[in-house]
Amino acid sequence: MNYKWIIPLLAAVAVGVMAFSITRRAVCRGSEASLDWLQDVSHLARHLGLSEAQAAEIKKLQTDLGSRLNDCCARHCAARARLGPALASETNGAAQAEVIVAEMCRAYEGSERATLTHIRAVRAVLTAEQRGRFDAMVAECMCKPCSMPGGRRRV
């Protein structure tokens, strides 16, 4: 048998795996960092030069957003849990599934609206100069792919 080609083949596979891993980490780490920065009040305080009063107000807004998003997520997950049995049902499964999917969409819309309300509330706390920097951070975050596998963002 001719084994001369096995070592170069294994080396090529190892290089390919390493290149994939390095590229994936670089891409994923960049998208997660922007999202985390917007959720980290201490980072916002440093980056935007927040006063203690502004930081405290934004921290309170972040807490409120977290509870609103958790509520939306709970409603979405509860509806999704009912979707499987509805799809499996031979009687009225299609109509029931449509109602459940609409409920899931309302929960998702609620989370997006809560986030938009939060962004506006944070902007209201900031000075004009801080708002410009915050808007740039939000725009950068929104232009990147979601950080969760399959395109879903962490909440």
Side-chain angles (χ1 to χ4, degrees):
M1 289 191 154
N2 190 354
Y3 291 106
K4 287 190 238 179
W5 57 270
I6 289 179
I7 291 177
L9 178 64
L10 291 174
V13 169
V15 168
V17 168
M18 284 182 8
F20 172 78
S21 298
I22 291 169
T23 303
R24 177 162 168 67
R25 285 184 186 195
V27 169
C28 291
R29 190 176 322 150
S31 62
E32 288 174 2
S34 293
L35 181 62
D36 290 343
W37 287 351
L38 291 175
Q39 294 175 354
D40 182 1
V41 177
S42 63
H43 174 78
L44 289 175
R46 283 189 310 274
H47 187 74
L48 301 175
L50 299 178
S51 68
E52 287 184 26
Q54 287 175 311
E57 181 64 25
I58 291 173
K59 187 169 187 152
K60 193 167 72 173
L61 291 170
Q62 292 280 32
T63 301
D64 181 52
L65 175 65
S67 65
R68 293 168 96 193
L69 293 179
N70 286 338
D71 176 61
C72 292
C73 184
R75 288 186 291 124
H76 185 273
C77 290
R80 189 173 180 152
R82 293 191 318 273
L83 182 60
L87 291 172
S89 172
E90 290 185 25
T91 60
N92 201 25
Q96 187 180 15
E98 287 296 325
V99 170
I100 293 170
V101 168
E103 185 180 338
M104 290 168 58
C105 289
R106 284 190 301 274
Y108 180 76
E109 181 184 9
S111 70
E112 293 298 327
R113 292 198 179 277
T115 301
L116 181 59
T117 299
H118 172 74
I119 290 170
R120 288 177 176 155
V122 169
R123 290 184 86 251
V125 172
L126 303 175
T127 66
E129 182 183 333
Q130 291 169 329
R131 252 191 314 275
R133 287 183 289 190
F134 179 71
D135 291 346
M137 291 171 72
V138 170
E140 179 184 346
C141 178
M142 294 298 144
C143 291
K144 291 186 177 185
C146 296
S147 60
M148 292 295 286
R152 296 172 298 197
R153 282 212 169 155
R154 283 187 307 176
V155 177

